Each structure stands twice: as structure tokens, then as C-alpha cells.
Amino acid sequence: METINRLVINVAVLALLATVCLVEAAPRDKTRKGGGAVNITCEDAGMSKGDPSLSQDKMDKEVWRFARSHYNNRAEYLDEEAARIRGYNTDVVEAVCRIAGKNCFFVQDPYSHCWESPHGYDARGGIGLHGDYYEACVGWFVTKDRRRVFDFTDAFQKNVFSHFVVKTGNPNNFQYDDLTGSKIGFLESWAADEHCVNLLSDVSGLPLDESQIHYYLTQTELEAAVNADEIDAAFVTDDLAIAGNLEKNGPDIDSCLVDGVAVMVRKGSTLPSWFNPAFKKLVSTPEYEQICDDVETVHGNIPGPDKEDICINPLEAFAFR
């Protein structure tokens, strides 16, 4: 009975969201706002109907809702003209859902509703995923903190390093190995956060004092703060555009991230049980090669990593799984 009730609720939600989608375009606000209430914008009604070769009775009738947002990167960005979020992550999830024969649906919600790193508090799961507003959040690096709270699919993007970046020429003489008194900027909800910095070894001046920690909603705001000497350095992952726009200071740091980008789900979710086999099947096909080519062709006008830096090598990724 519980399964039937959930199915009825999911179908009703899909119908309602699909109706709203007919009259509401994706929002054009490029900031990521936290907060209490969830403000979901629907996209792409009926995004994936499953493999057309599958008979209707063999397709999963349950609706799987995937939350996503955008940060002006080839992985996830807002296409203003099409009024929808596009990028590598969307291309992969759409293909996986089709291969698995699942009815998948995208909703747009702020990143902080999936995961948040509020200043002065422990990083924690967001209200959207915890509250069952959707089944999954797309495009999240696997970290130790996140893995204690949520489960993950296999990674569909390569792992990256984190590092400090400073204003060109380092006029404030920032030293990565001595953070005493330095003001450090972070992106809200990002994997490279204050908690990772506080665990760095061979770095003096830790833990950071609250007055040294500054969070920003967007890369644009964070980069501007560095260039305006509002902060001495930013701590970011090297897949971000800001990492290439500013000057790197210190070594690559590999302790923040456990694995690359994946789909984040609640503990006990069955989503990985069908997502992982379908993704494994996808990466061995010409379709995945095309998705990777699209990183530089279709999405090439957007900042971000090249296909060699983002796409999974199936021989390496699944050799020990």
C-alpha cells in the first residue's frame, strides 16, 4: 500500500510540475541563495521517458526527480536563450535514465538546498534532499562529510584538486603554509570549504578564526573580493573558472575530495542500484564519446574543464568495482 501511495503522489507531483512548466521558464537569477523554504522551478517535463525500445509494462512507473542548479561551467550552466540548464551533467543523466528505462524529471533548486556549508556551523545536508522534495541532487563531489550524511552513485566526472588562489602578483604576500591572520574566501555549499582547510597538515595558523572566513554565493563575487583585496585568498577546486583567472598559490591539495562528481541521494536510496549499471553501459558507447565531444563543441563557449579533464575513462573507472 505504501508503494502504491508513493506512486500516486509522484504521478500527481509530475502532473502538477509539468503544468507549471508550460507557463514558467527557468529563472534568470544567477546567484545561489540559501534559506529555509524550498523554491523549486521545474524544467523539461517528461525529461526522460526511458528507452523507446522498452515496452511500457517493463518501464519503471516511478518518477525520479533530480535537482540541479547552475554555476556558469560546462558541467552546469543556464542557457539564457533556451531558458534551461544545460551541460555535461544534464547530458549524462538524461542518457542514463533512458538506458535504464526510468521516468526521470529535472527540477531546479539552489545548491544550498542539497548541501550547505554555513559560516560558523558544520557542513550539513540541505532541506530539499533531506525533506524528500526530490530523490537526488546532480553534480556533487564526494567528500567525507557528505558521505556521512548521504549516499552517492559512481562518479561520472573525474576527481580534481583544490588549492588557494590569489590576486595576480600576490600583492598581499599571502603564504599558503601560514594562514595566521589571513582572510580566506569560499564558495557557499562547495566541497573546498573551511572544514577542509582546518584539517590541512603542515599549515600553521589553524583552525581559522571566524573573522578570517568569508563565504560568497557566486564565483564572480568571490573573484571580485580577491581582486578588491577584501580577502587575501580564495580556496577553490580547480574545475572552476576562477581557478584559472587568479594566481595559484601553493601545492595541489587532494584531501578535500574522496571521489569525483556524482549524483547525491538519501541514505538507503535504490537509485544507485540502477544508475550505476546504466552509466557503466553508457561509457562504453559512441553516445558517451559524443557527450564528451559536446563538452568542447556544444558547451565550448562556457568556461570550464576540457573533455579530457571531465570525462570518465571506463577502463580506469570500473577496473576495481
Side-chain angles (χ1 to χ4, degrees):
M1 179 64 69
E2 181 179 349
T3 301
I4 295 175
N5 289 339
R6 181 184 173 112
L7 175 59
V8 171
I9 292 172
N10 280 333
V11 171
V13 169
L14 177 61
L16 176 61
L17 290 173
T19 301
V20 175
C21 279
L22 293 177
V23 297
E24 182 179 8
R28 298 179 180 274
D29 183 5
K30 294 193 174 184
T31 61
R32 305 201 313 267
K33 298 181 179 178
V38 173
N39 182 19
I40 297 175
T41 298
C42 57
E43 302 181 74
D44 308 325
M47 180 269 293
S48 174
K49 297 294 186 180
D51 190 328
S53 66
L54 296 174
S55 62
Q56 195 64 31
D57 61 333
K58 291 183 179 180
M59 287 179 58
D60 192 336
K61 301 299 192 300
E62 184 172 8
V63 177
W64 298 87
R65 297 160 297 180
F66 289 78
R68 61 182 178 178
S69 195
H70 55 89
Y71 62 105
N72 196 35
N73 186 283
R74 293 175 184 178
E76 290 177 339
Y77 65 94
L78 178 61
D79 184 333
E80 294 275 6
E81 185 174 346
R84 66 186 296 262
I85 295 174
R86 303 182 65 191
Y88 171 84
N89 292 353
T90 294
D91 296 342
V92 167
V93 173
E94 286 180 341
V96 166
C97 286
R98 189 184 66 255
I99 290 171
K102 302 296 180 178
N103 290 311
C104 299
F105 190 85
F106 281 135
V107 297
Q108 181 178 330
D109 207 23
Y111 286 120
S112 59
H113 290 165
C114 288
W115 184 264
E116 57 180 342
S117 301
H119 181 192
Y121 297 89
D122 289 339
R124 60 199 182 198
I127 187 176
L129 189 53
H130 266 319
D132 198 19
Y133 287 93
Y134 26 77
E135 283 68 50
C137 292
V138 178
W140 291 84
F141 283 108
V142 183
T143 69
K144 293 177 182 178
D145 284 341
R146 292 171 182 172
R147 200 161 59 177
R148 283 195 293 267
V149 179
F150 294 125
D151 284 340
F152 291 84
T153 65
D154 289 338
F156 55 84
Q157 280 190 42
K158 291 180 180 178
N159 205 353
V160 299
F161 293 111
S162 304
H163 52 253
F164 293 99
V165 290
V166 298
K167 188 176 180 178
T168 302
N170 194 18
N172 296 320
N173 195 31
F174 173 81
Q175 301 296 321
Y176 73 90
D177 56 354
D178 184 1
L179 302 183
T180 304
S182 294
K183 296 180 179 180
I184 313 297
F186 304 90
L187 274 178
E188 185 177 315
S189 302
W190 221 252
D193 60 14
E194 64 180 277
H195 309 291
C196 179
V197 169
N198 282 334
L199 293 175
L200 294 178
S201 58
D202 301 323
V203 176
S204 59
L206 296 178
L208 297 173
D209 183 78
E210 286 193 15
S211 63
Q212 297 175 259
I213 301 168
H214 300 263
Y215 275 95
Y216 298 86
L217 294 176
T218 68
Q219 291 186 72
T220 301
E221 293 175 1
L222 180 57
E223 184 174 347
V226 173
N227 286 323
D229 298 322
E230 181 179 317
I231 53 178
D232 299 300
F235 188 65
V236 298
T237 50
D238 62 12
D239 60 316
L240 298 174
I242 185 176
N245 296 341
L246 297 173
E247 182 177 301
K248 180 180 172 182
N249 187 285
D252 291 328
I253 297 169
D254 62 5
S255 57
C256 294
L257 311 179
V258 176
D259 205 348
V261 167
V263 172
M264 189 165 67
V265 299
R266 287 183 296 279
K267 288 287 186 182
S269 171
T270 60
L271 188 149
S273 68
W274 59 261
F275 190 99
N276 292 344
F279 177 65
K280 187 174 182 179
K281 181 177 180 181
L282 171 66
V283 296
S284 62
T285 66
E287 181 178 7
Y288 186 66
E289 294 179 12
Q290 184 61 57
I291 288 174
C292 291
D293 288 341
D294 287 349
V295 170
E296 299 178 9
T297 55
V298 176
H299 313 305
N301 62 318
I302 304 298
D306 296 332
K307 65 178 182 180
E308 289 80 10
D309 298 320
I310 195 172
C311 288
I312 295 293
N313 181 328
L315 296 180
E316 297 175 359
F318 304 112
F320 303 103
R321 291 177 179 169

